[in-house]
Amino acid sequence: MIQLKNYREIDMIRKSGKVLAECLLSLDEVISEGISTYDIDRIAHEFIVKHHGYPSCLGYCGYPNATCTSVNEVVIHGIPSKKKILKDGDIISVDICVTLDGFVSDSTRTYEVGKVSDEVHKLNVVTRECLYKGIDAARQPHARLSEIGKAVFKHAFTDNGYGVVRDYTGHGVGFSVHEEPEVANFVSPMLPNPRLKPGMVLAIEPMINMGTWKVIDLKDGWTVVTADGKPACHWEHTVAVTENGIEILTEL
Ligand code: MF3
Ligand code: CO
């Protein structure tokens, strides 16, 4: 069941999303050559707690940290580590959920460390564009859920030839980290396809691979990598469907 949120509840998710947006923005200054993913996690964790939030990935299904830090070929759910030191030319996605006064927001950005190659930079730009094209698709009058995945898939695969991850999707969010519906980055007749309606709050999150769409789950139970070892990017916003249209809740 899709749990709709009322005006007050959306306002609470908006406040949570503001802390999360500020946190991800602040990481821009922090992420550079030589820092470990452990330190990035620690800094994000402290930021969220200082703003009275809780980093709700921590403890979610036993996940050990406040953030997912996914470097290069790691698509999602990279576990922060003192041993993982960023170097020039790396990309890293940082995926964070914030709970504030019981309301959850979810957002991800992919950061470039120093100077990345032109082809990796393009992957990152296109993945971010996929996120905004997905959001814009949701803005169309009477849009159904599948319009989001259709727009993401077209930009990533049809127009740019990138692999679109199929094993993981976006989701409803707000009362908890993962709610219905599934928000896929592709179109599938297998998935429920309701019309978007006021009160829905969705985490839209294209996960786009430079090469194959196929991914492998590592033995640590979390880390997801591309099957061909090529880089992947991930961008995510929490958005609310309101009477006045779509509002991005994790953007300042
Ligand atoms: N933020 C992730 C998502 O978009 C959720 C991560 S859950 C964790 O679905 F346990 F892996 F942190
Ligand atoms: Co998410």
Side-chain angles (χ1 to χ4, degrees):
M1 192 196 60
I2 298 176
Q3 300 185 74
L4 300 180
K5 282 83 183 174
N6 65 27
Y7 183 86
R8 185 193 69 87
E9 290 161 343
I10 288 176
D11 190 49
M12 300 296 281
I13 304 167
R14 185 183 288 120
K15 291 195 171 79
S16 160
K18 184 159 187 291
V19 172
L20 176 46
E22 282 168 351
C23 179
L24 285 172
L25 210 57
S26 76
L27 291 182
D28 247 336
E29 317 259 297
V30 166
I31 293 178
S32 55
E33 195 179 350
I35 194 170
S36 71
T37 54
Y38 174 89
D39 280 329
I40 295 167
D41 181 77
R42 191 177 47 75
I43 289 163
H45 191 159
E46 282 168 10
F47 184 99
I48 293 162
V49 170
K50 200 171 87 192
H51 291 80
H52 315 291
Y54 178 79
S56 24
C57 285
L58 180 61
Y60 182 78
C61 300
Y63 187 75
N65 290 85
T67 68
C68 299
T69 52
S70 306
V71 178
N72 298 339
E73 77 284 0
V74 180
V75 185
I76 49 167
H77 302 167
I79 300 174
S81 162
K82 283 183 181 166
K83 284 186 267 180
K84 188 70 200 175
I85 312 286
L86 297 182
K87 52 186 198 316
D88 189 57
D90 282 346
I91 48 170
I92 175 174
S93 74
V94 181
D95 184 351
I96 305 181
C97 295
V98 168
T99 302
L100 188 72
D101 296 325
F103 290 86
V104 188
S105 58
D106 187 2
S107 186
T108 307
R109 294 168 70 116
T110 297
Y111 304 81
E112 300 179 6
V113 181
K115 181 88 188 91
V116 308
S117 71
D118 289 347
E119 58 169 357
V120 168
H121 177 65
K122 183 183 165 207
L123 176 69
N124 195 22
V125 168
V126 169
T127 305
R128 185 169 181 275
E129 287 168 355
C130 283
L131 171 59
Y132 285 93
K133 283 178 187 285
I135 293 169
D136 283 343
R139 290 199 158 104
Q140 301 313 306
H142 315 294
R144 285 187 184 271
L145 189 59
S146 67
E147 297 297 328
I148 297 170
K150 190 174 169 186
V152 170
F153 191 86
K154 178 179 185 294
H155 193 54
F157 179 74
T158 316
D159 297 347
N160 285 285
Y162 294 142
V164 177
V165 173
R166 302 187 69 86
D167 300 13
Y168 296 88
T169 66
H171 48 92
V173 66
F175 296 142
S176 54
V177 171
H178 286 153
E179 300 175 19
E180 287 181 27
E182 247 185 89
V183 182
N185 295 306
F186 49 87
V187 177
S188 164
M190 307 293 285
L191 291 170
N193 191 20
R195 274 194 209 286
L196 300 182
K197 76 180 216 190
M200 288 182 179
V201 178
L202 306 172
I204 301 177
E205 49 179 315
M207 290 155 262
I208 307 299
N209 300 346
M210 185 173 285
T212 179
W213 59 271
K214 290 185 182 157
V215 299
I216 298 170
D217 301 321
L218 296 191
K219 282 198 294 287
D220 63 17
W222 286 105
T223 313
V224 179
V225 299
T226 56
D228 58 9
K230 291 185 181 173
C233 291
H234 182 200
W235 284 80
E236 176 178 26
H237 273 311
T238 295
V239 309
V241 184
T242 75
E243 298 289 352
N244 302 319
I246 302 288
E247 180 184 343
I248 304 176
L249 302 179
T250 45
E251 191 168 65
L252 294 176

